Amino acid sequence: MTSYTLILVLMLLFSVLAVISRNMLMAAISLAVASVALTLVLFALSAPWAAVFELSVCAGLITVLFVSAVSMIRKEELFMQEGRMRFAMLPLWLAAFGAGLWLWGGRLGISLLAIPSFREPSGVGVLLWGPRIYDLMGQACIILAGVLVIRTFFVGRRD
Amino acid sequence: MAELLKLNWFFVLLLTFLGLYCLLVSRNLLRLLIGVEILSKACILALISSGVATGKINTAQTLAITMIVVEVVVVAVGLGLIIKAYGVTGSIDIWKLDKLKDRS
């Protein structure tokens, strides 16, 4: 339990670093490390499929996309001045919010929602290709839409 | 089990606060996208921890996979938009995206 909490704290710390870091490359890499920490959390919660997707897509692909975008933008733009005081105040606000939540949540009894019981098939693949096949269709449509949008952005001029 | 759920949701709410704060405060377009990423990480953690608490981990995993696919498409399209806006305005400051305002 202690190491589990430690991983969660690590994820939060690297997320804060991704927000307050001035260097955008550092921010992208911090976000990748936070994704790796989330992967460990998902493995600990016995959700290996979601963990594998998180590791390969969020920690891998999205970091590559961010780094390639950062490399296209001039350095002066990346280090733009934007109310640094607000970002410096962020850890304080976060700590205040967390302390308030901890104090308030201790008095709040959490009860699980009553979810209608259905027999869940064992195995993600059976579920994904069986009852949730429409999710897969939706994912395919979203990916197709994304590809079309990117193609529309970077289409060459034909005169 | 209730302790685990409480711990997970504590961190979910902290991550949500962090992402919303980043979206509210930042002027850098890339940093806004990082805020969206942090929000979606909180969403994935909430889904999986709820699945663990209710004993329906497989359904939660399929929903998390869908969420991850949506997230990567959002990031790809968002970065494409940012690069296009940078090409037009020469800046990634969100305050410089007010060209339409000057037209009268």
PDB file of all heavy atoms in Angstrom, chain A residues 25 28 57-73 150, chain B residues 30 33 37 71-80 83:
ATOM      1  N   LEU A  25      10.181  21.202 -23.570  1.00  0.00           N
ATOM      2  CA  LEU A  25      10.702  19.843 -23.756  1.00  0.00           C
ATOM      3  C   LEU A  25      10.682  19.096 -22.436  1.00  0.00           C
ATOM      4  O   LEU A  25      10.273  17.931 -22.356  1.00  0.00           O
ATOM      5  CB  LEU A  25      12.124  19.940 -24.299  1.00  0.00           C
ATOM      6  CG  LEU A  25      12.666  18.714 -24.999  1.00  0.00           C
ATOM      7  CD1 LEU A  25      11.805  18.369 -26.188  1.00  0.00           C
ATOM      8  CD2 LEU A  25      14.091  18.929 -25.427  1.00  0.00           C
ATOM      9  N   ALA A  28       7.128  18.064 -21.686  1.00  0.00           N
ATOM     10  CA  ALA A  28       6.683  16.877 -22.428  1.00  0.00           C
ATOM     11  C   ALA A  28       7.255  15.616 -21.803  1.00  0.00           C
ATOM     12  O   ALA A  28       6.561  14.602 -21.643  1.00  0.00           O
ATOM     13  CB  ALA A  28       7.091  16.989 -23.887  1.00  0.00           C
ATOM     14  N   VAL A  57       0.853   4.149 -25.914  1.00  0.00           N
ATOM     15  CA  VAL A  57       0.258   5.294 -26.606  1.00  0.00           C
ATOM     16  C   VAL A  57       0.584   6.600 -25.878  1.00  0.00           C
ATOM     17  O   VAL A  57       1.144   7.530 -26.460  1.00  0.00           O
ATOM     18  CB  VAL A  57      -1.267   5.101 -26.752  1.00  0.00           C
ATOM     19  CG1 VAL A  57      -1.889   6.341 -27.337  1.00  0.00           C
ATOM     20  CG2 VAL A  57      -1.554   3.923 -27.628  1.00  0.00           C
ATOM     21  N   CYS A  58       0.245   6.663 -24.568  1.00  0.00           N
ATOM     22  CA  CYS A  58       0.398   7.941 -23.868  1.00  0.00           C
ATOM     23  C   CYS A  58       1.859   8.263 -23.581  1.00  0.00           C
ATOM     24  O   CYS A  58       2.291   9.395 -23.738  1.00  0.00           O
ATOM     25  CB  CYS A  58      -0.398   7.925 -22.577  1.00  0.00           C
ATOM     26  SG  CYS A  58      -2.148   7.882 -22.876  1.00  0.00           S
ATOM     27  N   ALA A  59       2.624   7.239 -23.127  1.00  0.00           N
ATOM     28  CA  ALA A  59       4.018   7.529 -22.817  1.00  0.00           C
ATOM     29  C   ALA A  59       4.882   7.545 -24.065  1.00  0.00           C
ATOM     30  O   ALA A  59       5.910   8.210 -24.108  1.00  0.00           O
ATOM     31  CB  ALA A  59       4.556   6.513 -21.816  1.00  0.00           C
ATOM     32  N   GLY A  60       4.468   6.808 -25.114  1.00  0.00           N
ATOM     33  CA  GLY A  60       5.296   6.730 -26.308  1.00  0.00           C
ATOM     34  C   GLY A  60       4.877   7.705 -27.389  1.00  0.00           C
ATOM     35  O   GLY A  60       5.553   8.700 -27.668  1.00  0.00           O
ATOM     36  N   LEU A  61       3.707   7.428 -27.962  1.00  0.00           N
ATOM     37  CA  LEU A  61       3.271   8.163 -29.158  1.00  0.00           C
ATOM     38  C   LEU A  61       3.043   9.645 -28.866  1.00  0.00           C
ATOM     39  O   LEU A  61       3.493  10.514 -29.623  1.00  0.00           O
ATOM     40  CB  LEU A  61       1.993   7.506 -29.684  1.00  0.00           C
ATOM     41  CG  LEU A  61       1.351   8.142 -30.898  1.00  0.00           C
ATOM     42  CD1 LEU A  61       2.328   8.132 -32.049  1.00  0.00           C
ATOM     43  CD2 LEU A  61       0.098   7.403 -31.281  1.00  0.00           C
ATOM     44  N   ILE A  62       2.349   9.946 -27.741  1.00  0.00           N
ATOM     45  CA  ILE A  62       2.013  11.341 -27.471  1.00  0.00           C
ATOM     46  C   ILE A  62       3.269  12.143 -27.169  1.00  0.00           C
ATOM     47  O   ILE A  62       3.397  13.309 -27.561  1.00  0.00           O
ATOM     48  CB  ILE A  62       0.972  11.397 -26.334  1.00  0.00           C
ATOM     49  CG1 ILE A  62      -0.355  10.885 -26.871  1.00  0.00           C
ATOM     50  CG2 ILE A  62       0.806  12.796 -25.798  1.00  0.00           C
ATOM     51  CD1 ILE A  62      -1.467  10.902 -25.899  1.00  0.00           C
ATOM     52  N   THR A  63       4.246  11.505 -26.510  1.00  0.00           N
ATOM     53  CA  THR A  63       5.510  12.203 -26.254  1.00  0.00           C
ATOM     54  C   THR A  63       6.227  12.521 -27.561  1.00  0.00           C
ATOM     55  O   THR A  63       6.772  13.620 -27.724  1.00  0.00           O
ATOM     56  CB  THR A  63       6.409  11.348 -25.355  1.00  0.00           C
ATOM     57  OG1 THR A  63       5.638  10.911 -24.257  1.00  0.00           O
ATOM     58  CG2 THR A  63       7.591  12.117 -24.868  1.00  0.00           C
ATOM     59  N   VAL A  64       6.211  11.552 -28.478  1.00  0.00           N
ATOM     60  CA  VAL A  64       6.840  11.797 -29.791  1.00  0.00           C
ATOM     61  C   VAL A  64       6.149  12.965 -30.491  1.00  0.00           C
ATOM     62  O   VAL A  64       6.800  13.863 -31.054  1.00  0.00           O
ATOM     63  CB  VAL A  64       6.785  10.514 -30.646  1.00  0.00           C
ATOM     64  CG1 VAL A  64       7.209  10.793 -32.066  1.00  0.00           C
ATOM     65  CG2 VAL A  64       7.665   9.462 -30.050  1.00  0.00           C
ATOM     66  N   LEU A  65       4.812  12.993 -30.440  1.00  0.00           N
ATOM     67  CA  LEU A  65       4.063  14.083 -31.079  1.00  0.00           C
ATOM     68  C   LEU A  65       4.430  15.428 -30.445  1.00  0.00           C
ATOM     69  O   LEU A  65       4.677  16.424 -31.146  1.00  0.00           O
ATOM     70  CB  LEU A  65       2.558  13.840 -30.944  1.00  0.00           C
ATOM     71  CG  LEU A  65       1.960  12.735 -31.807  1.00  0.00           C
ATOM     72  CD1 LEU A  65       0.496  12.576 -31.489  1.00  0.00           C
ATOM     73  CD2 LEU A  65       2.146  13.057 -33.260  1.00  0.00           C
ATOM     74  N   PHE A  66       4.485  15.458 -29.102  1.00  0.00           N
ATOM     75  CA  PHE A  66       4.800  16.709 -28.423  1.00  0.00           C
ATOM     76  C   PHE A  66       6.216  17.175 -28.755  1.00  0.00           C
ATOM     77  O   PHE A  66       6.436  18.366 -29.030  1.00  0.00           O
ATOM     78  CB  PHE A  66       4.670  16.537 -26.902  1.00  0.00           C
ATOM     79  CG  PHE A  66       3.349  16.995 -26.365  1.00  0.00           C
ATOM     80  CD1 PHE A  66       2.444  16.100 -25.852  1.00  0.00           C
ATOM     81  CD2 PHE A  66       3.011  18.327 -26.383  1.00  0.00           C
ATOM     82  CE1 PHE A  66       1.222  16.512 -25.373  1.00  0.00           C
ATOM     83  CE2 PHE A  66       1.787  18.753 -25.902  1.00  0.00           C
ATOM     84  CZ  PHE A  66       0.896  17.839 -25.393  1.00  0.00           C
ATOM     85  N   VAL A  67       7.169  16.228 -28.739  1.00  0.00           N
ATOM     86  CA  VAL A  67       8.558  16.631 -28.990  1.00  0.00           C
ATOM     87  C   VAL A  67       8.712  17.117 -30.425  1.00  0.00           C
ATOM     88  O   VAL A  67       9.421  18.109 -30.675  1.00  0.00           O
ATOM     89  CB  VAL A  67       9.507  15.453 -28.668  1.00  0.00           C
ATOM     90  CG1 VAL A  67      10.909  15.761 -29.131  1.00  0.00           C
ATOM     91  CG2 VAL A  67       9.509  15.187 -27.188  1.00  0.00           C
ATOM     92  N   SER A  68       8.015  16.471 -31.368  1.00  0.00           N
ATOM     93  CA  SER A  68       8.131  16.938 -32.751  1.00  0.00           C
ATOM     94  C   SER A  68       7.496  18.317 -32.909  1.00  0.00           C
ATOM     95  O   SER A  68       8.014  19.157 -33.665  1.00  0.00           O
ATOM     96  CB  SER A  68       7.504  15.937 -33.713  1.00  0.00           C
ATOM     97  OG  SER A  68       6.174  15.724 -33.357  1.00  0.00           O
ATOM     98  N   ALA A  69       6.389  18.573 -32.184  1.00  0.00           N
ATOM     99  CA  ALA A  69       5.784  19.914 -32.263  1.00  0.00           C
ATOM    100  C   ALA A  69       6.701  20.950 -31.635  1.00  0.00           C
ATOM    101  O   ALA A  69       6.865  22.057 -32.171  1.00  0.00           O
ATOM    102  CB  ALA A  69       4.430  19.912 -31.567  1.00  0.00           C
ATOM    103  N   VAL A  70       7.333  20.597 -30.500  1.00  0.00           N
ATOM    104  CA  VAL A  70       8.244  21.540 -29.845  1.00  0.00           C
ATOM    105  C   VAL A  70       9.420  21.860 -30.750  1.00  0.00           C
ATOM    106  O   VAL A  70       9.878  23.013 -30.823  1.00  0.00           O
ATOM    107  CB  VAL A  70       8.716  20.954 -28.486  1.00  0.00           C
ATOM    108  CG1 VAL A  70       9.901  21.723 -27.949  1.00  0.00           C
ATOM    109  CG2 VAL A  70       7.592  20.989 -27.482  1.00  0.00           C
ATOM    110  N   SER A  71       9.891  20.831 -31.493  1.00  0.00           N
ATOM    111  CA  SER A  71      11.054  21.068 -32.338  1.00  0.00           C
ATOM    112  C   SER A  71      10.723  21.950 -33.529  1.00  0.00           C
ATOM    113  O   SER A  71      11.625  22.482 -34.179  1.00  0.00           O
ATOM    114  CB  SER A  71      11.625  19.737 -32.818  1.00  0.00           C
ATOM    115  OG  SER A  71      10.694  19.128 -33.657  1.00  0.00           O
ATOM    116  N   MET A  72       9.424  22.120 -33.859  1.00  0.00           N
ATOM    117  CA  MET A  72       9.056  22.971 -34.994  1.00  0.00           C
ATOM    118  C   MET A  72       8.922  24.429 -34.606  1.00  0.00           C
ATOM    119  O   MET A  72       8.789  25.281 -35.474  1.00  0.00           O
ATOM    120  CB  MET A  72       7.717  22.511 -35.563  1.00  0.00           C
ATOM    121  CG  MET A  72       7.789  21.299 -36.424  1.00  0.00           C
ATOM    122  SD  MET A  72       6.151  20.968 -37.062  1.00  0.00           S
ATOM    123  CE  MET A  72       6.208  19.228 -37.221  1.00  0.00           C
ATOM    124  N   ILE A  73       8.901  24.728 -33.300  1.00  0.00           N
ATOM    125  CA  ILE A  73       8.575  26.076 -32.842  1.00  0.00           C
ATOM    126  C   ILE A  73       9.835  26.766 -32.337  1.00  0.00           C
ATOM    127  O   ILE A  73      10.678  26.133 -31.689  1.00  0.00           O
ATOM    128  CB  ILE A  73       7.491  25.993 -31.738  1.00  0.00           C
ATOM    129  CG1 ILE A  73       6.189  25.495 -32.362  1.00  0.00           C
ATOM    130  CG2 ILE A  73       7.258  27.328 -31.092  1.00  0.00           C
ATOM    131  CD1 ILE A  73       5.143  25.150 -31.392  1.00  0.00           C
ATOM    132  N   ILE A 150      -6.127  15.865 -40.028  1.00  0.00           N
ATOM    133  CA  ILE A 150      -4.698  16.167 -40.195  1.00  0.00           C
ATOM    134  C   ILE A 150      -4.362  16.347 -41.677  1.00  0.00           C
ATOM    135  O   ILE A 150      -3.611  17.239 -42.069  1.00  0.00           O
ATOM    136  CB  ILE A 150      -3.849  15.025 -39.592  1.00  0.00           C
ATOM    137  CG1 ILE A 150      -4.093  14.935 -38.096  1.00  0.00           C
ATOM    138  CG2 ILE A 150      -2.377  15.243 -39.862  1.00  0.00           C
ATOM    139  CD1 ILE A 150      -3.495  16.002 -37.296  1.00  0.00           C
TER     140      ILE A 150
ATOM    141  N   LEU B  30       0.696  25.001 -26.200  1.00  0.00           N
ATOM    142  CA  LEU B  30       1.184  23.647 -25.918  1.00  0.00           C
ATOM    143  C   LEU B  30       0.878  23.253 -24.478  1.00  0.00           C
ATOM    144  O   LEU B  30       0.513  22.120 -24.191  1.00  0.00           O
ATOM    145  CB  LEU B  30       2.693  23.573 -26.154  1.00  0.00           C
ATOM    146  CG  LEU B  30       3.147  23.498 -27.590  1.00  0.00           C
ATOM    147  CD1 LEU B  30       4.653  23.595 -27.656  1.00  0.00           C
ATOM    148  CD2 LEU B  30       2.729  22.186 -28.190  1.00  0.00           C
ATOM    149  N   LEU B  33      -2.628  22.099 -24.013  1.00  0.00           N
ATOM    150  CA  LEU B  33      -2.811  20.702 -24.406  1.00  0.00           C
ATOM    151  C   LEU B  33      -2.308  19.764 -23.321  1.00  0.00           C
ATOM    152  O   LEU B  33      -2.888  18.694 -23.090  1.00  0.00           O
ATOM    153  CB  LEU B  33      -2.088  20.459 -25.730  1.00  0.00           C
ATOM    154  CG  LEU B  33      -2.741  19.480 -26.668  1.00  0.00           C
ATOM    155  CD1 LEU B  33      -4.167  19.855 -26.911  1.00  0.00           C
ATOM    156  CD2 LEU B  33      -2.004  19.392 -27.950  1.00  0.00           C
ATOM    157  N   GLU B  37      -4.258  16.729 -21.328  1.00  0.00           N
ATOM    158  CA  GLU B  37      -3.671  15.412 -21.101  1.00  0.00           C
ATOM    159  C   GLU B  37      -3.791  14.989 -19.640  1.00  0.00           C
ATOM    160  O   GLU B  37      -4.161  13.858 -19.330  1.00  0.00           O
ATOM    161  CB  GLU B  37      -2.181  15.463 -21.453  1.00  0.00           C
ATOM    162  CG  GLU B  37      -1.884  15.242 -22.881  1.00  0.00           C
ATOM    163  CD  GLU B  37      -2.115  13.819 -23.207  1.00  0.00           C
ATOM    164  OE1 GLU B  37      -1.382  12.968 -22.728  1.00  0.00           O
ATOM    165  OE2 GLU B  37      -3.083  13.560 -23.929  1.00  0.00           O
ATOM    166  N   GLU B  71      -8.096  10.159 -26.679  1.00  0.00           N
ATOM    167  CA  GLU B  71      -7.085  11.101 -26.201  1.00  0.00           C
ATOM    168  C   GLU B  71      -5.990  11.331 -27.246  1.00  0.00           C
ATOM    169  O   GLU B  71      -5.611  12.474 -27.520  1.00  0.00           O
ATOM    170  CB  GLU B  71      -6.501  10.511 -24.926  1.00  0.00           C
ATOM    171  CG  GLU B  71      -5.468  11.341 -24.231  1.00  0.00           C
ATOM    172  CD  GLU B  71      -4.852  10.562 -23.090  1.00  0.00           C
ATOM    173  OE1 GLU B  71      -5.461   9.553 -22.673  1.00  0.00           O
ATOM    174  OE2 GLU B  71      -3.784  10.950 -22.634  1.00  0.00           O
ATOM    175  N   VAL B  72      -5.540  10.250 -27.856  1.00  0.00           N
ATOM    176  CA  VAL B  72      -4.436  10.409 -28.809  1.00  0.00           C
ATOM    177  C   VAL B  72      -4.920  11.152 -30.067  1.00  0.00           C
ATOM    178  O   VAL B  72      -4.180  11.981 -30.630  1.00  0.00           O
ATOM    179  CB  VAL B  72      -3.773   9.055 -29.125  1.00  0.00           C
ATOM    180  CG1 VAL B  72      -4.610   8.191 -29.983  1.00  0.00           C
ATOM    181  CG2 VAL B  72      -2.445   9.272 -29.787  1.00  0.00           C
ATOM    182  N   VAL B  73      -6.172  10.927 -30.464  1.00  0.00           N
ATOM    183  CA  VAL B  73      -6.684  11.663 -31.627  1.00  0.00           C
ATOM    184  C   VAL B  73      -6.824  13.148 -31.284  1.00  0.00           C
ATOM    185  O   VAL B  73      -6.483  14.024 -32.097  1.00  0.00           O
ATOM    186  CB  VAL B  73      -8.015  11.052 -32.108  1.00  0.00           C
ATOM    187  CG1 VAL B  73      -8.636  11.912 -33.170  1.00  0.00           C
ATOM    188  CG2 VAL B  73      -7.781   9.675 -32.641  1.00  0.00           C
ATOM    189  N   VAL B  74      -7.310  13.425 -30.064  1.00  0.00           N
ATOM    190  CA  VAL B  74      -7.438  14.828 -29.635  1.00  0.00           C
ATOM    191  C   VAL B  74      -6.073  15.518 -29.640  1.00  0.00           C
ATOM    192  O   VAL B  74      -5.931  16.653 -30.126  1.00  0.00           O
ATOM    193  CB  VAL B  74      -8.092  14.897 -28.236  1.00  0.00           C
ATOM    194  CG1 VAL B  74      -7.898  16.251 -27.618  1.00  0.00           C
ATOM    195  CG2 VAL B  74      -9.559  14.597 -28.334  1.00  0.00           C
ATOM    196  N   VAL B  75      -5.050  14.812 -29.136  1.00  0.00           N
ATOM    197  CA  VAL B  75      -3.718  15.430 -29.090  1.00  0.00           C
ATOM    198  C   VAL B  75      -3.174  15.655 -30.495  1.00  0.00           C
ATOM    199  O   VAL B  75      -2.606  16.716 -30.784  1.00  0.00           O
ATOM    200  CB  VAL B  75      -2.763  14.561 -28.249  1.00  0.00           C
ATOM    201  CG1 VAL B  75      -1.337  14.994 -28.439  1.00  0.00           C
ATOM    202  CG2 VAL B  75      -3.133  14.664 -26.806  1.00  0.00           C
ATOM    203  N   ALA B  76      -3.371  14.663 -31.380  1.00  0.00           N
ATOM    204  CA  ALA B  76      -2.844  14.811 -32.733  1.00  0.00           C
ATOM    205  C   ALA B  76      -3.512  15.984 -33.453  1.00  0.00           C
ATOM    206  O   ALA B  76      -2.836  16.835 -34.064  1.00  0.00           O
ATOM    207  CB  ALA B  76      -3.053  13.520 -33.520  1.00  0.00           C
ATOM    208  N   VAL B  77      -4.846  16.066 -33.359  1.00  0.00           N
ATOM    209  CA  VAL B  77      -5.559  17.163 -34.028  1.00  0.00           C
ATOM    210  C   VAL B  77      -5.210  18.503 -33.378  1.00  0.00           C
ATOM    211  O   VAL B  77      -5.004  19.514 -34.065  1.00  0.00           O
ATOM    212  CB  VAL B  77      -7.080  16.893 -33.986  1.00  0.00           C
ATOM    213  CG1 VAL B  77      -7.852  18.092 -34.475  1.00  0.00           C
ATOM    214  CG2 VAL B  77      -7.411  15.703 -34.842  1.00  0.00           C
ATOM    215  N   GLY B  78      -5.096  18.519 -32.042  1.00  0.00           N
ATOM    216  CA  GLY B  78      -4.740  19.757 -31.351  1.00  0.00           C
ATOM    217  C   GLY B  78      -3.365  20.249 -31.739  1.00  0.00           C
ATOM    218  O   GLY B  78      -3.168  21.451 -31.976  1.00  0.00           O
ATOM    219  N   LEU B  79      -2.399  19.331 -31.822  1.00  0.00           N
ATOM    220  CA  LEU B  79      -1.050  19.756 -32.211  1.00  0.00           C
ATOM    221  C   LEU B  79      -1.031  20.239 -33.660  1.00  0.00           C
ATOM    222  O   LEU B  79      -0.332  21.210 -33.985  1.00  0.00           O
ATOM    223  CB  LEU B  79      -0.060  18.616 -32.009  1.00  0.00           C
ATOM    224  CG  LEU B  79       0.371  18.398 -30.563  1.00  0.00           C
ATOM    225  CD1 LEU B  79       1.250  17.179 -30.462  1.00  0.00           C
ATOM    226  CD2 LEU B  79       1.118  19.591 -30.029  1.00  0.00           C
ATOM    227  N   GLY B  80      -1.828  19.579 -34.528  1.00  0.00           N
ATOM    228  CA  GLY B  80      -1.927  20.063 -35.907  1.00  0.00           C
ATOM    229  C   GLY B  80      -2.474  21.481 -35.958  1.00  0.00           C
ATOM    230  O   GLY B  80      -1.952  22.342 -36.694  1.00  0.00           O
ATOM    231  N   ILE B  83       0.252  23.928 -34.739  1.00  0.00           N
ATOM    232  CA  ILE B  83       1.297  24.180 -35.733  1.00  0.00           C
ATOM    233  C   ILE B  83       0.763  25.083 -36.847  1.00  0.00           C
ATOM    234  O   ILE B  83       1.438  26.009 -37.321  1.00  0.00           O
ATOM    235  CB  ILE B  83       1.805  22.837 -36.312  1.00  0.00           C
ATOM    236  CG1 ILE B  83       2.500  22.038 -35.223  1.00  0.00           C
ATOM    237  CG2 ILE B  83       2.753  23.062 -37.460  1.00  0.00           C
ATOM    238  CD1 ILE B  83       3.724  22.676 -34.662  1.00  0.00           C
TER     239      ILE B  83
END
